[in-house]
């Protein structure tokens, strides 16, 4: 097994980095640091290992950084992927029109007040199960978080960072921070828990720039707390969403105005140090309304997404857009998509999604990495708006995607290149 894994790794390293990378291959070599294999190359590596060994590897294998770790994963028993469900979700009726909301959390409160049992998010968990989160439940969870923040003396205008993966904790804490009158600062969560020092150094500058007082994270990432506290003078507490939910009484109903700060969004930093953009609720709601015009939003639309919630395209353009418009959202993590790109397409099939977005590489990944067998029975005919943005859009990718998935009901006219930037909330 060791010899075969090394053979597969060396072949990919040679293609990606040449003979120098190939010479660096060993059982304990770092796939990222020593061999230069990034997230997309890791996906390719898992595909090749699965073909070489005739078995399915668990999603968590994308976080393994050495060939030795991959060997252990192949030796140990791992849960196999059960494959996509072939049934369709029940079609929901159109959402009730939302009277003017001044803030993002007021939009949640009004939705929960009028349609508390209406599904808001269909959340794919790590084990493949789906949890349905209603407007009413999300508001209740968010109010509990807000109570916990107030019990920790978080005041109006304080900045609170979220270092959380896609899931209920992110959704309820983001809304809970708003309800408490504080300002969320989303940052991407650590992928590699064995490299927290390096991660903390990169994130400390953002947290210090935002003057973050409290950081909400998850249990396994607690070791990052002491590192960040030393580097961020304003940071006094690191807590989990669960700890916040268990402490303090619920606050009063959401208040605030459109001119209040909604959250601080940091630019990608692709051309320099990330810079914070302070967005108001009015900024967000205006951009969400503009997106609605751009896609011709309908009351019976349904969305599907795997985009990270710490990025504006996933946070504003997808989740907050769906919340304000009353559109149900099928949501999975980026890791879920990267390990099995067909899960994105099956989510569209299962929930009859009409709106879904992704960067160009995601469409390319679907063309090149999904087998015909994994698509058997797929129906993409509901997908009327396939947005492509966040990076340069390739006409060749659009052509290949349209041609490959025409057999599964995808219509070429659904393709919609898009452009946005953090300084404009998201969509331009």
């Amino acid at each position: 097994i060791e010899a075969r894994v090394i053979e597969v790794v060396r072949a990919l390293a040679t293609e990606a980095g040449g003979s120098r990378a190939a010479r660096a291959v060993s059982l304990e070599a770092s796939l990222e640091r020593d061999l230069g294999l990034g997230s997309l190359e890791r996906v390719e590596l898992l595909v090749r290992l699965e073909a070489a060994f005739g078995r399915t590897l668990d999603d968590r294998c994308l976080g393994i950084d050495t060939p030795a770790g991959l060997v252990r994963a192949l030796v140990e028993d791992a849960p196999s992927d059960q494959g996509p469900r072939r049934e369709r979700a029940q079609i929901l009726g159109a959402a009730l029109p939302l009277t003017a909301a001044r803030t993002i959390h007021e939009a949640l409160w009004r939705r929960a007040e009028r349609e508390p049992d209406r599904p808001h998010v269909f959340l794919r968990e790590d084990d493949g199960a789906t949890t349905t989160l209603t407007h009413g439940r999300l508001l209740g969870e968010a109010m509990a978080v807000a109570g916990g923040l107030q019990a920790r003396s978080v005041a109006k205008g304080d900045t609170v960072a979220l270092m959380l993966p896609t899931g209920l904790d992110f959704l309820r804490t983001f809304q809970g921070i708003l309800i408490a009158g504080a300002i969320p600062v989303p940052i991407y969560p650590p992928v590699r828990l064995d490299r927290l020092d390096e991660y903390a150094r990169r994130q400390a500058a953002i947290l210090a720039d935002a003057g973050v007082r409290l950081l909400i994270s998850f249990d396994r990432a607690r070791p990052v707390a002491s590192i960040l506290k030393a580097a961020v003078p304003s940071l006094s507490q690191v807590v989990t969403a669960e700890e916040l939910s268990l402490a303090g009484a619920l606050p009063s109903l959401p208040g605030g105005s459109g001119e209040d700060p909604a959250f601080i969004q940091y630019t990608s930093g692709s051309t320099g140090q990330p810079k914070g953009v302070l967005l108001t609720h009015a900024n967000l709601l205006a951009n969400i309304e503009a997106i609605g015009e751009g896609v011709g939003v309908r009351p019976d639309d349904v969305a599907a997404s795997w985009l990270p919630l710490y990025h504006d395209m996933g946070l504003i353009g997808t989740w907050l857009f769906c919340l304000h418009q009353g559109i149900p959202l099928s949501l999975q993590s980026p890791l879920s998509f990267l390990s099995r790109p067909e899960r994105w397409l099956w989510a569209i099939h299962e929930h009859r999604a009409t709106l879904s977005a992704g960067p160009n590489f995601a469409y390319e990944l679907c063309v090149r990495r999904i087998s015909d067998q994994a698509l058997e029975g797929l129906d993409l005919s509901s997908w009327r708006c396939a947005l492509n943005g966040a990076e340069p859009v390739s006409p060749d990718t659009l052509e290949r995607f349209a041609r490959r998935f025409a057999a599964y009901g995808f219509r070429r006219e659904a393709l919609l290149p898009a452009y946005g930037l953090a300084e404009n909330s998201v969509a331009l």
Side-chain angles (χ1 to χ4, degrees), residues 155-173:
K156 182 176 182 179
D158 285 346
T159 48
V160 178
L162 294 85
M163 188 179 75
L164 295 163
T166 296
L168 173 60
D169 281 354
F170 186 101
L171 303 178
R172 63 176 171 169
T173 55

Side-chain angles (χ1 to χ4, degrees), residues 284-304:
L284 294 181
L285 294 175
N287 204 248
I288 285 170
E289 292 292 339
I291 294 171
E293 283 197 39
V295 302
V297 68
R298 305 170 184 171
D300 57 350
D301 273 326
V302 178

Side-chain angles (χ1 to χ4, degrees), residues 180-202:
I183 305 170
V185 182
I187 61 175
Y188 71 89
V191 177
R192 299 283 314 285
L193 295 180
D194 58 340
R195 296 174 67 177
L196 287 177
D197 285 11
E198 181 181 333
Y199 166 84
R201 285 193 296 272
R202 290 198 299 266

Side-chain angles (χ1 to χ4, degrees), residues 103-425:
T103 65
I104 290 295
H105 49 289
E106 184 183 348
L108 171 61
W109 174 66
R110 289 182 181 275
R111 289 272 173 218
E113 185 180 47
R114 300 190 67 185
E115 299 180 284
D117 298 325
R118 181 177 173 83
H120 168 43
V121 171
F122 301 102
L123 182 62
R124 186 189 188 279
E125 307 287 357
D126 290 341
D127 61 3
T130 298
T131 298
T132 300
L133 183 63
T134 63
H135 291 123
R137 182 185 171 191
L138 179 57
L139 178 61
E141 296 271 6
M143 297 276 276
V145 168
L149 289 169
Q150 290 187 347
R152 285 169 169 76
S153 301
V154 172
K156 182 176 182 179
D158 285 346
T159 48
V160 178
L162 294 85
M163 188 179 75
L164 295 163
T166 296
L168 173 60
D169 281 354
F170 186 101
L171 303 178
R172 63 176 171 169
T173 55
F174 188 93
Q175 291 287 344
I177 295 168
L178 293 178
I179 292 171
I183 305 170
V185 182
I187 61 175
Y188 71 89
V191 177
R192 299 283 314 285
L193 295 180
D194 58 340
R195 296 174 67 177
L196 287 177
D197 285 11
E198 181 181 333
Y199 166 84
R201 285 193 296 272
R202 290 198 299 266
Q203 298 305 306
I206 289 178
L207 299 183
D209 181 67
V212 166
R213 178 179 174 188
L214 184 142
L215 171 67
I216 306 174
S217 188
F218 52 103
D219 276 328
R220 289 187 300 146
R222 277 191 183 278
V224 79
S226 58
I227 305 170
L228 289 174
K229 279 185 178 180
V232 183
S234 61
L235 182 60
S236 61
Q237 300 180 64
V238 178
V239 298
T240 66
E242 194 60 34
E243 289 169 341
L244 289 173
S245 297
L246 296 175
L250 297 182
S252 58
L253 292 175
S257 72
E259 297 310 311
D260 288 342
F263 77 101
I264 301 176
Q265 176 172 243
Y266 277 83
T267 60
S268 65
S270 56
T271 57
Q273 285 294 106
K275 295 177 177 61
V277 179
L278 181 63
L279 298 173
T280 66
H281 288 275
N283 291 150
L284 294 181
L285 294 175
N287 204 248
I288 285 170
E289 292 292 339
I291 294 171
E293 283 197 39
V295 302
V297 68
R298 305 170 184 171
D300 57 350
D301 273 326
V302 178
S305 179
W306 54 268
L307 297 170
L309 294 175
Y310 54 81
H311 186 272
D312 52 11
M313 195 176 186
L315 177 60
I316 308 170
T318 303
W319 175 43
L320 297 182
F321 170 79
C322 289
L323 173 65
H324 183 70
Q325 300 286 359
I327 295 173
L329 170 64
S330 171
L331 183 63
Q332 59 186 292
S333 73
L335 180 60
S336 173
F337 164 73
L338 284 173
S339 58
R340 307 278 172 228
E342 62 267 24
R343 288 175 179 158
W344 179 27
L345 306 183
W346 278 105
I348 293 170
H349 166 103
E350 291 164 15
H351 294 281
R352 304 188 195 186
T354 57
L355 309 175
S356 196
N360 193 84
F361 87 81
Y363 291 91
E364 188 67 35
L365 205 61
C366 288
V367 171
R368 300 177 57 191
R369 295 290 180 262
I370 305 177
S371 67
D372 289 341
Q373 184 179 4
L375 299 174
E376 194 173 322
L378 180 71
D379 179 6
L380 297 177
S381 61
S382 65
W383 197 1
R384 70 175 185 84
C385 191
L387 292 100
N388 183 334
E391 64 183 22
V393 178
S394 164
D396 291 341
T397 297
L398 300 181
E399 176 60 33
R400 285 192 293 269
F401 189 90
R403 190 167 57 241
R404 169 88 194 273
F405 293 99
Y408 303 97
F410 183 78
R411 291 163 309 189
R412 180 182 298 270
E413 58 268 27
L415 291 166
L416 181 60
Y419 180 77
L421 68 166
E423 294 85 346
N424 196 58
S425 296

